[in-house]
Amino acid sequence: MATSQRKILVTSALPYANGPIHLGHMLEYIQTDIWARFQKLRGHECHYICADDAHGTPIMLKAQQLGMAPEEMIAQVQKEHQQDFADFNIQFDNFHSTHSDENRELASEIYLKLRDGGYIKSKTISQLFDPEKSMFLPDRFVKGTCPKCKSVDQYGDNCDSCGATYSPTDLIDPKSAVSGATPVMKETEHFFFDLPAFEEMLKEWTRSGSLQQEMANKLGEWFEQGLQQWDITRDAPYFGFEIPDAPGKFFYVWLDAPIGYMGSFKNLCNKRGDLNFDEFWAKDSTAEVYHFIGKDIVYFHSLFWPAMLEGAGFRKPNSVYAHGYVTVNGAKMSKSKGTFIKARTYLDNLNPEYLRYYYAAKLSSRIDDLDLNLEDFAQRVNSDLVGKLVNLASRTAGFISKRFDGKLAKVADNSLSETFLAKADAIAEFYETREFGKAMREIMALADIANAYVADAAPWQLVKQEDKQEEAHQVCSNALNLFRILVTYLKPVLPKLAQDVEAFLQLELTWNDLAKDLSGHEIAPFKALMQRVEMKNIEAIIEASTENLQVAEAPKSQLALDPISEEIGFDDFAKLDLRIARIAKAEHVPEANKLLKLQLDLGGETKQVFAGIKSAYAPEDLEGKLTVMVANLAPRKMRFGMSEGMVLAAGPGKKDLWILEPHEGAQPGMRVK
């Protein structure tokens, strides 16, 4: 079963250093950790590295609000992040920060190589400027009244009320979200990365098998629109790295963030001394590099990043693997429902290996969202891990210790273990291709076979019969050997359980020793390995995660609620024709960052609506759903086409936005009363 050794570098996306880790984040780190642990279990040289993404305007402003230096804040957050990861048994070979000497040197080196290669262009642009804070304002840091629908307190790039997109200069009465001052227009010189120069290389690379098919198809839309030059400059004040030979100009956070992968590995090389940075990153490298990311950052990792590496003379990654979002109980994570769960809140109440297993059982190589159904979570963990896996050892180990001097017998019939070993290659292939759910199903099917074998043999009955002692000894020994094989297969997913089983069996669980003969081997007395999930623990997590929504007594400045608009009479309200509509078709609007184009079936009549819900929904998630729309809204011509109504949605915005869905029994065209 030995395989030739590979040299592998694997990364997870860098967590942003301005807040805690939650269970949505943990999906990626668990997925990557399982894959990296599997490679190591197979005997490969595999290095799993990560870092905190520590630059940008939000971090600078949050540090100011907290009254501390950005360096102090990111150091504090990094300590919390690393503790959360460690307690979830995430085994990084190195966890660093983008705010490091290694990253500064590499970012400067890559920029200078791109500049000298002719891939950096200079342009003078006009941008809104906060005269009080003396800083240029990113779009999301400008607020004002929507120029289209006149809704107040809208961001500088799009309106959450009507879905219109615009420039921050189009806002009525714009204000800086930082100081409240009225911004002014100011010219500034910026540097742009010439992404279009790499179009042919990127077209070939994105279709080379380095990306999942869904990702490659999505990126095809960007090529159709035409690649644009990428602004990589931010003006002072900014927390980041100053651009060489350009005082007061800083690298945009998304330039040095992916370079943070290289910076963290460089830091590991410096600490270890036996690792060669160029062996993994040089243009002619034969090592393998893999990035695990969320689907929301595909654009940066699959266009900008490989183009930067190509232009600077470094190798590109072998593959970029994207995953979907985490929903809880079928809906987006919600603070009001207690399902926006921080990693630490989970760890305070439940075994981290439960979540590692549940995520593994539902993960595939696709970019599908993963639902953490809390009731199903408890049932699956209790059934699979406690009822099938651990139960196999707890039913048989005691007899070995009490009646057979703690030593395993030579098993006469090895047919069952041979059946288990015959699945090794298939399970390995599932791990390799990130089909973790299929691997878990194979392993649990074997656990069912082992438990049926023990139930049929009934060693607890055999030990009562004098002439059946040897048979009882063999049955229990065979069961524990099958248990050993199962836990070895599960070692990448359940490292702490594997460690406890290694102490119990008094041997190391390795892939190459799956067929090891345990005749005469001595084991330690059995101790309980895993407890059942109790619903009270899950309820405690929900309670601890539920934000107190009683805000009536809070100072007005603390409320995150939109001001109530001018009162209307009942007659005004009665004019609204609210209808049930089926979303017959949903598609992206290539020129718009926030809009989706919907075809709404009203039961014989179809209306086209542009809805500003792209941050919360993918088109494929909407098709076939029923929703509520304002059917008698006057058509409004947008630059993308005519919008003939409005879909009703609620939420604070971005990913936390929910279309209103009617109850079962509703039909398209029905009026909502």
Side-chain angles (χ1 to χ4, degrees), residues 137-143 155-158 160 177 594 653-654:
L137 296 168
D139 293 353
R140 300 294 283 183
F141 285 88
V142 183
K143 284 197 165 187
Y155 286 113
D157 54 356
N158 80 291
D160 286 337
K594 306 298 179 183
K654 295 185 179 179

Side-chain angles (χ1 to χ4, degrees), residues 10-13 28 31-32 35-36 261 290-294 297 301 319-323 434 436:
V10 59
T11 75
S12 294
E28 180 169 310
Q31 181 187 32
T32 320
W35 197 80
Y261 300 136
Y290 300 96
H291 299 308
F292 284 73
I293 63 167
I297 53 175
H301 282 80
S319 293
V320 177
Y321 297 135
H323 59 80
R434 306 173 328 285
F436 297 165

Side-chain angles (χ1 to χ4, degrees), residues 264-311:
S264 183
F265 186 64
K266 183 79 167 180
N267 178 255
L268 179 62
C269 292
N270 293 340
K271 290 192 290 191
R272 285 263 304 260
D274 61 336
L275 278 177
N276 186 311
F277 179 84
D278 291 338
E279 189 176 2
F280 285 81
W281 286 105
K283 188 79 171 178
D284 60 354
S285 170
T286 57
E288 302 168 46
V289 175
Y290 300 96
H291 299 308
F292 284 73
I293 63 167
K295 64 182 179 181
D296 55 328
I297 53 175
V298 162
Y299 189 80
F300 292 101
H301 282 80
S302 302
L303 293 178
F304 293 135
W305 179 229
M308 285 166 55
L309 290 168
E310 178 78 10

